[in-house]
């Protein structure tokens, strides 16, 4: 009799445990059909990560939560011309935005439809927005030195430092612009390139001796196709004081059309002198990667299918 009572009690306990388990499952599940909250006031911004060489678009929205509604996430659907297919992105309820990664200006307009979704997986009213991306800047790295350049100057000092010494490969010689006579104009160096370029990088080595008063600290850079008509390229500022024999590096200079002449006109030096001097003057090519052009070719390949 004792054994039978034990079996009945165990069966009752099992039934109670199963009922409690079912109740807990029901508690964790969705409670009815909860409509999704509305989203509105769509806007967008586009930014570029210059280190990663990637652009993105962020679509922002406001959420209106009325009684009995909620929002679990927002689904953004659009056609990505670069990928050549429909893409879906998801935005968090907390962030109130959706990010479209890896976008390009050459892709044109992205037509995006945003749909709010509730915690019970109910879709709300979709809204649409047309967005566009900022361009992805090309990357640039220093290429080989340009050999065979020809140098000239409007202000050669007759007593020392011939212009040829600025490209003789010997940092113990130097070029010196005029100090013993008045020129009446800013002193400059003109470099004639062996062939047309669209981008260059300037480096120079300061004079190996002296007090460093003629070291170029700033310079105007101009370019030309014929050596007569000049276009401003940039103004460079160099990290140099009175150091002797220091290698000084400029930036990566890109232009939107080819050139064959470069004019280097120093505008500041430590001694506040009209003249300047340097041991070596070097021009380098720049190796570029045009991400927008590459994306354009990929997009066109999808369109040709």
């Amino acid at each position: 009799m004792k054994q039978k009572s034990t079996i009945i009690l165990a069966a009752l306990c099992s039934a109670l445990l199963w009922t409690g388990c079912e109740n807990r499952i029901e508690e964790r599940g969705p409670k009815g059909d909860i409509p999704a909250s509305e989203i509105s006031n769509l806007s967008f911004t586009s930014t570029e990560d210059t280190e990663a060489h990637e652009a993105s678009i962020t679509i922002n929205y406001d959420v209106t939560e009325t009684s009995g509604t909620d929002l679990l996430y927002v689904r953004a659907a659009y056609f990505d011309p670069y990928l050549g297919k429909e893409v879906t992105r998801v935005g968090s309820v907390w962030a109130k935005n959706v990010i479209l990664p890896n976008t390009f200006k050459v892709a044109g307009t992205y037509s995006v439809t945003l749909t709010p979704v509730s915690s019970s997986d109910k879709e709300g009213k979709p809204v649409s927005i047309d967005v566009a991306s900022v361009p992805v800047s090309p990357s640039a790295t220093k290429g080989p030195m340009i050999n065979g350049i020809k140098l000239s100057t409007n202000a050669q000092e007759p007593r020392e430092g011939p212009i040829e010494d600025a490209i003789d490969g010997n940092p113990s010689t130097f070029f010196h612009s005029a100090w013993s006579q008045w020129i009446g104009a800013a002193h400059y160096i003109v470099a004639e390139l062996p062939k047309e370029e669209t981008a260059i990088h300037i480096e120079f080595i300061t004079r190996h001796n002296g007090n460093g008063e003629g070291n170029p600290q700033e310079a105007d850079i101009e370019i030309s196709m014929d050596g007569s008509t000049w276009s401003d390229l940039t103004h460079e500022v160099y990290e140099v004081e009175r150091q002797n024999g220091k290698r000084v590096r400029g930036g990566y200079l890109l232009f939107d059309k080819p050139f064959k002449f470069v004019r280097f006109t120093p505008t500041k030096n430590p001694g506040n002198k009209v003249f300047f001097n340097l041991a070596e003057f070097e021009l380098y090519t720049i190796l570029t990667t045009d991400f927008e052009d590459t994306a354009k070719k990929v997009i066109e390949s999808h369109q040709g299918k």
Side-chain angles (χ1 to χ4, degrees), residues 55-111:
S56 62
I57 300 171
T58 301
I59 302 176
N60 304 289
Y61 49 82
D62 292 336
V63 179
T64 303
E65 290 192 15
T66 56
S67 178
T69 69
D70 70 7
L71 183 66
L72 183 61
Y73 63 89
V74 172
R75 183 176 63 247
Y78 62 100
F79 179 79
D80 189 325
Y82 180 75
L83 297 178
K85 64 179 183 180
E86 295 290 336
V87 175
T88 299
R89 305 291 177 188
V90 173
S92 163
V93 62
W94 309 111
K96 293 185 180 180
N97 62 49
V98 179
I99 298 176
L100 281 53
N102 201 29
T103 56
F104 298 92
K105 183 178 180 180
V106 292
T109 300
Y110 295 80
S111 296

Coordinates of all heavy atoms in Angstrom, one line a residue, residues 55-111:
A55 N 33.3 54.5 -47.4 CA 32.3 55.5 -47.1 C 31.0 54.7 -46.6 O 30.9 53.5 -46.9 CB 31.9 56.3 -48.3
S56 N 30.1 55.4 -45.9 CA 28.9 54.8 -45.5 C 27.8 55.9 -45.4 O 28.1 57.1 -45.5 CB 29.1 54.2 -44.1 OG 29.4 55.2 -43.1
I57 N 26.6 55.4 -45.4 CA 25.4 56.3 -45.3 C 24.7 55.9 -44.0 O 24.4 54.8 -43.8 CB 24.5 56.2 -46.5 CG1 25.2 56.6 -47.8 CG2 23.2 57.1 -46.3 CD1 24.5 56.3 -49.0
T58 N 24.3 56.9 -43.2 CA 23.5 56.7 -42.0 C 22.2 57.3 -42.1 O 22.1 58.5 -42.4 CB 24.2 57.3 -40.7 OG1 25.5 56.7 -40.5 CG2 23.4 57.0 -39.5
I59 N 21.1 56.5 -42.1 CA 19.7 57.0 -42.2 C 19.2 57.1 -40.8 O 19.1 56.1 -40.0 CB 18.9 56.1 -43.0 CG1 19.5 55.9 -44.4 CG2 17.4 56.6 -43.1 CD1 18.7 55.0 -45.3
N60 N 18.8 58.3 -40.4 CA 18.2 58.6 -39.1 C 16.7 58.7 -39.2 O 16.1 59.1 -40.2 CB 18.8 59.9 -38.5 CG 20.3 59.9 -38.4 OD1 20.9 59.1 -37.6 ND2 20.9 60.6 -39.3
Y61 N 16.0 58.4 -38.1 CA 14.6 58.4 -38.0 C 14.1 58.7 -36.6 O 14.8 58.4 -35.6 CB 13.9 57.1 -38.6 CG 14.5 55.9 -38.0 CD1 14.0 55.4 -36.8 CD2 15.5 55.2 -38.7 CE1 14.6 54.2 -36.2 CE2 16.0 54.0 -38.1 CZ 15.5 53.5 -36.9 OH 16.0 52.4 -36.4
D62 N 12.9 59.2 -36.5 CA 12.2 59.3 -35.2 C 11.2 58.2 -35.0 O 10.6 57.7 -36.0 CB 11.5 60.7 -35.1 CG 12.4 61.9 -35.1 OD1 13.6 61.7 -34.7 OD2 12.0 63.0 -35.5
V63 N 11.0 57.8 -33.8 CA 10.0 56.7 -33.5 C 8.9 57.3 -32.7 O 9.0 58.0 -31.7 CB 10.7 55.6 -32.7 CG1 9.7 54.5 -32.3 CG2 11.9 55.0 -33.4
T64 N 7.6 57.0 -33.1 CA 6.4 57.4 -32.4 C 5.8 56.2 -31.8 O 5.2 55.4 -32.5 CB 5.4 58.1 -33.4 OG1 6.1 59.2 -34.0 CG2 4.2 58.6 -32.6
E65 N 5.9 56.0 -30.5 CA 5.3 54.9 -29.8 C 4.0 55.2 -29.2 O 3.9 55.9 -28.2 CB 6.3 54.4 -28.8 CG 7.6 53.7 -29.3 CD 8.3 53.0 -28.3 OE1 7.8 52.7 -27.2 OE2 9.5 52.7 -28.5
T66 N 2.9 54.8 -29.9 CA 1.6 55.0 -29.3 C 1.2 53.8 -28.4 O 1.9 52.8 -28.4 CB 0.5 55.2 -30.4 OG1 0.6 54.0 -31.3 CG2 0.8 56.4 -31.3
S67 N 0.1 54.0 -27.6 CA -0.3 53.0 -26.7 C -0.6 51.7 -27.4 O -1.3 51.6 -28.5 CB -1.5 53.4 -25.9 OG -2.0 52.4 -25.1
G68 N 0.0 50.6 -26.9 CA -0.2 49.3 -27.5 C 0.7 48.9 -28.6 O 0.6 47.8 -29.2
T69 N 1.7 49.8 -29.0 CA 2.6 49.5 -30.0 C 4.0 49.4 -29.4 O 4.3 49.9 -28.3 CB 2.6 50.5 -31.1 OG1 3.2 51.8 -30.6 CG2 1.2 50.8 -31.6
D70 N 4.9 48.8 -30.2 CA 6.4 48.8 -29.8 C 7.2 48.6 -31.0 O 6.7 48.5 -32.1 CB 6.7 47.8 -28.7 CG 6.6 46.3 -29.2 OD1 6.5 46.1 -30.4 OD2 6.7 45.4 -28.4
L71 N 8.5 48.7 -30.8 CA 9.4 48.6 -31.9 C 10.6 47.7 -31.5 O 11.3 48.0 -30.6 CB 9.9 49.9 -32.4 CG 10.9 50.0 -33.6 CD1 10.1 49.5 -34.9 CD2 11.4 51.4 -33.8
L72 N 10.8 46.6 -32.3 CA 11.9 45.7 -32.0 C 13.1 46.1 -32.9 O 14.3 46.2 -32.4 CB 11.6 44.3 -32.3 CG 12.6 43.2 -32.0 CD1 13.0 43.3 -30.5 CD2 12.2 41.8 -32.4
Y73 N 12.9 46.4 -34.2 CA 14.0 46.8 -35.0 C 13.4 47.5 -36.3 O 12.2 47.4 -36.5 CB 14.9 45.7 -35.4 CG 14.2 44.6 -36.2 CD1 14.2 44.6 -37.6 CD2 13.7 43.5 -35.6 CE1 13.6 43.6 -38.3 CE2 13.1 42.4 -36.3 CZ 13.0 42.5 -37.7 OH 12.4 41.5 -38.4
V74 N 14.2 48.1 -37.1 CA 13.8 48.7 -38.4 C 14.6 48.0 -39.5 O 15.9 47.9 -39.4 CB 14.1 50.2 -38.4 CG1 13.8 50.7 -39.8 CG2 13.2 50.9 -37.4
R75 N 13.9 47.5 -40.5 CA 14.6 46.8 -41.6 C 14.7 47.8 -42.8 O 13.7 48.4 -43.2 CB 13.7 45.6 -42.0 CG 14.4 44.8 -43.1 CD 13.6 43.5 -43.4 NE 12.3 43.8 -43.9 CZ 11.1 43.5 -43.3 NH1 11.2 42.9 -42.1 NH2 10.0 43.8 -43.8
A76 N 15.9 47.9 -43.3 CA 16.1 48.8 -44.5 C 16.4 47.9 -45.7 O 17.4 47.1 -45.6 CB 17.3 49.7 -44.2
A77 N 15.7 48.0 -46.7 CA 15.9 47.3 -48.0 C 16.2 48.2 -49.1 O 15.5 49.2 -49.3 CB 14.6 46.4 -48.2
Y78 N 17.2 47.8 -49.9 CA 17.6 48.7 -51.0 C 18.4 47.8 -52.0 O 18.9 46.8 -51.7 CB 18.4 49.9 -50.6 CG 19.7 49.5 -49.9 CD1 20.9 49.6 -50.6 CD2 19.7 49.1 -48.6 CE1 22.1 49.3 -50.0 CE2 20.9 48.8 -47.9 CZ 22.1 48.9 -48.6 OH 23.3 48.6 -48.0
F79 N 18.5 48.4 -53.2 CA 19.4 47.7 -54.2 C 20.7 48.4 -54.2 O 20.9 49.6 -54.2 CB 18.8 47.9 -55.6 CG 19.6 47.2 -56.7 CD1 19.6 45.9 -56.9 CD2 20.5 48.0 -57.5 CE1 20.4 45.3 -57.9 CE2 21.3 47.4 -58.5 CZ 21.2 46.0 -58.7
D80 N 21.8 47.5 -54.0 CA 23.2 48.0 -53.9 C 23.8 47.8 -55.3 O 24.1 46.7 -55.7 CB 23.9 47.2 -52.9 CG 25.3 47.8 -52.6 OD1 25.9 48.3 -53.6 OD2 25.8 47.8 -51.5
P81 N 24.0 48.9 -56.1 CA 24.6 48.8 -57.4 C 26.0 48.1 -57.4 O 26.3 47.4 -58.4 CB 24.7 50.2 -57.9 CG 23.7 50.9 -57.1 CD 23.7 50.3 -55.7
Y82 N 26.8 48.3 -56.3 CA 28.1 47.8 -56.3 C 28.1 46.2 -56.1 O 28.8 45.5 -56.8 CB 28.9 48.4 -55.1 CG 30.3 47.9 -55.0 CD1 31.3 48.3 -55.9 CD2 30.7 47.0 -54.0 CE1 32.6 47.8 -55.8 CE2 32.0 46.5 -53.9 CZ 32.9 46.9 -54.8 OH 34.2 46.4 -54.7
L83 N 27.1 45.8 -55.3 CA 27.0 44.3 -55.1 C 26.1 43.7 -56.2 O 26.1 42.5 -56.4 CB 26.4 44.0 -53.7 CG 27.2 44.5 -52.5 CD1 26.4 44.2 -51.2 CD2 28.6 43.8 -52.5
G84 N 25.3 44.5 -56.8 CA 24.5 44.1 -57.9 C 23.3 43.3 -57.4 O 22.8 42.4 -58.1
K85 N 22.8 43.5 -56.2 CA 21.7 42.8 -55.7 C 20.9 43.6 -54.6 O 21.4 44.6 -54.1 CB 22.2 41.4 -55.1 CG 23.1 41.6 -53.9 CD 23.6 40.3 -53.4 CE 24.5 40.4 -52.1 NZ 24.9 39.1 -51.6
E86 N 19.7 43.0 -54.2 CA 19.0 43.6 -53.1 C 19.7 43.3 -51.8 O 20.1 42.2 -51.6 CB 17.5 43.1 -53.1 CG 16.7 43.4 -54.4 CD 16.4 44.9 -54.4 OE1 16.3 45.5 -53.3 OE2 16.1 45.5 -55.5
V87 N 19.7 44.3 -50.9 CA 20.4 44.1 -49.6 C 19.4 44.6 -48.5 O 18.6 45.5 -48.7 CB 21.6 45.0 -49.6 CG1 22.3 44.9 -48.2 CG2 22.6 44.5 -50.7
T88 N 19.5 43.9 -47.4 CA 18.7 44.3 -46.2 C 19.7 44.6 -45.0 O 20.6 43.8 -44.8 CB 17.8 43.1 -45.8 OG1 16.9 42.8 -46.9 CG2 17.0 43.5 -44.5
R89 N 19.5 45.7 -44.4 CA 20.2 46.1 -43.2 C 19.2 46.3 -42.1 O 18.0 46.6 -42.3 CB 21.0 47.4 -43.4 CG 21.9 47.3 -44.6 CD 23.1 46.4 -44.4 NE 23.9 46.3 -45.6 CZ 24.9 45.5 -45.8 NH1 25.2 44.6 -44.8 NH2 25.6 45.5 -46.9
V90 N 19.7 46.1 -40.8 CA 18.8 46.2 -39.7 C 19.3 47.3 -38.7 O 20.5 47.4 -38.5 CB 18.7 44.9 -38.9 CG1 18.0 45.0 -37.6 CG2 18.1 43.8 -39.8
G91 N 18.4 48.1 -38.3 CA 18.7 49.2 -37.3 C 18.1 48.9 -35.9 O 17.0 48.4 -35.8
S92 N 18.9 49.1 -34.9 CA 18.4 48.9 -33.5 C 17.4 49.9 -33.1 O 17.4 51.1 -33.5 CB 19.6 48.9 -32.6 OG 19.2 49.1 -31.3
V93 N 16.5 49.5 -32.2 CA 15.5 50.4 -31.7 C 16.2 51.5 -30.8 O 15.7 52.6 -30.7 CB 14.5 49.7 -30.8 CG1 15.1 49.0 -29.6 CG2 13.4 50.6 -30.3
W94 N 17.3 51.2 -30.3 CA 18.0 52.2 -29.4 C 18.8 53.2 -30.2 O 18.9 54.4 -29.8 CB 19.0 51.4 -28.4 CG 18.3 50.3 -27.7 CD1 18.5 49.0 -27.8 CD2 17.3 50.4 -26.7 NE1 17.7 48.3 -27.0 CE2 17.0 49.1 -26.3 CE3 16.7 51.5 -26.1 CZ2 16.0 48.9 -25.3 CZ3 15.7 51.3 -25.1 CH2 15.4 50.0 -24.8
A95 N 19.4 52.8 -31.3 CA 20.2 53.7 -32.1 C 19.4 54.7 -32.9 O 19.8 55.8 -33.2 CB 21.1 52.9 -33.0
K96 N 18.2 54.3 -33.3 CA 17.3 55.1 -34.2 C 18.0 55.5 -35.5 O 17.8 56.6 -36.0 CB 16.8 56.4 -33.4 CG 15.9 56.0 -32.2 CD 15.4 57.3 -31.6 CE 14.4 56.9 -30.4 NZ 13.9 58.1 -29.8
N97 N 18.8 54.6 -36.0 CA 19.4 54.8 -37.3 C 19.7 53.4 -38.0 O 19.8 52.4 -37.3 CB 20.6 55.7 -37.3 CG 21.7 55.1 -36.4 OD1 22.1 54.0 -36.6 ND2 22.3 55.9 -35.6
V98 N 19.9 53.5 -39.2 CA 20.3 52.3 -40.0 C 21.6 52.7 -40.8 O 21.6 53.8 -41.4 CB 19.3 51.8 -41.0 CG1 19.8 50.6 -41.7 CG2 18.0 51.4 -40.2
I99 N 22.6 51.9 -40.8 CA 23.8 52.2 -41.5 C 24.0 51.4 -42.8 O 23.9 50.2 -42.7 CB 25.1 52.0 -40.6 CG1 25.0 53.0 -39.4 CG2 26.4 52.3 -41.4 CD1 26.1 52.8 -38.4
L100 N 24.2 52.0 -43.9 CA 24.5 51.4 -45.1 C 26.0 51.4 -45.4 O 26.6 52.5 -45.6 CB 23.8 52.1 -46.3 CG 22.3 51.8 -46.5 CD1 21.5 52.1 -45.3 CD2 21.8 52.7 -47.7
P101 N 26.7 50.3 -45.2 CA 28.2 50.3 -45.4 C 28.6 50.2 -46.8 O 27.9 49.9 -47.7 CB 28.6 49.1 -44.6 CG 27.5 48.1 -44.8 CD 26.2 49.0 -44.9
N102 N 29.9 50.6 -47.0 CA 30.6 50.4 -48.3 C 29.8 51.0 -49.4 O 29.5 50.3 -50.4 CB 30.8 48.9 -48.5 CG 31.9 48.6 -49.5 OD1 32.9 49.4 -49.6 ND2 31.8 47.5 -50.2
T103 N 29.6 52.3 -49.3 CA 28.9 53.0 -50.4 C 29.8 53.8 -51.2 O 30.9 54.1 -50.8 CB 27.8 53.9 -49.8 OG1 28.4 54.8 -48.8 CG2 26.7 53.1 -49.0
F104 N 29.4 54.2 -52.4 CA 30.2 55.0 -53.3 C 29.4 56.1 -54.0 O 28.2 56.0 -54.2 CB 30.7 54.1 -54.4 CG 31.6 53.0 -53.9 CD1 31.1 51.7 -53.6 CD2 33.0 53.2 -53.8 CE1 31.9 50.7 -53.2 CE2 33.8 52.2 -53.3 CZ 33.3 50.9 -53.0
K105 N 30.0 57.2 -54.3 CA 29.4 58.3 -54.9 C 28.9 57.9 -56.3 O 27.9 58.3 -56.8 CB 30.3 59.6 -55.0 CG 29.6 60.8 -55.6 CD 30.5 62.0 -55.6 CE 29.8 63.2 -56.2 NZ 30.7 64.4 -56.2
V106 N 29.8 57.1 -57.0 CA 29.5 56.8 -58.4 C 28.3 55.8 -58.5 O 27.7 55.6 -59.6 CB 30.7 56.1 -59.1 CG1 31.8 57.0 -59.3 CG2 31.1 54.8 -58.3
A107 N 27.8 55.3 -57.4 CA 26.7 54.4 -57.4 C 25.4 55.2 -57.6 O 24.3 54.7 -57.9 CB 26.6 53.6 -56.1
G108 N 25.5 56.6 -57.4 CA 24.3 57.4 -57.6 C 23.3 57.3 -56.4 O 23.8 57.3 -55.3
T109 N 22.1 57.3 -56.7 CA 21.0 57.3 -55.7 C 20.7 55.9 -55.2 O 20.5 55.0 -56.0 CB 19.7 58.0 -56.2 OG1 20.0 59.3 -56.6 CG2 18.7 58.0 -55.1
Y110 N 20.7 55.8 -53.9 CA 20.2 54.6 -53.2 C 18.8 54.8 -52.8 O 18.6 55.7 -51.9 CB 21.1 54.2 -52.0 CG 22.5 53.8 -52.3 CD1 23.5 54.9 -52.5 CD2 23.0 52.5 -52.3 CE1 24.8 54.6 -52.7 CE2 24.3 52.2 -52.5 CZ 25.2 53.2 -52.7 OH 26.5 52.9 -52.9
S111 N 17.8 54.1 -53.3 CA 16.4 54.2 -52.9 C 16.2 53.2 -51.8 O 16.2 52.0 -52.0 CB 15.5 54.0 -54.0 OG 15.7 55.0 -55.0

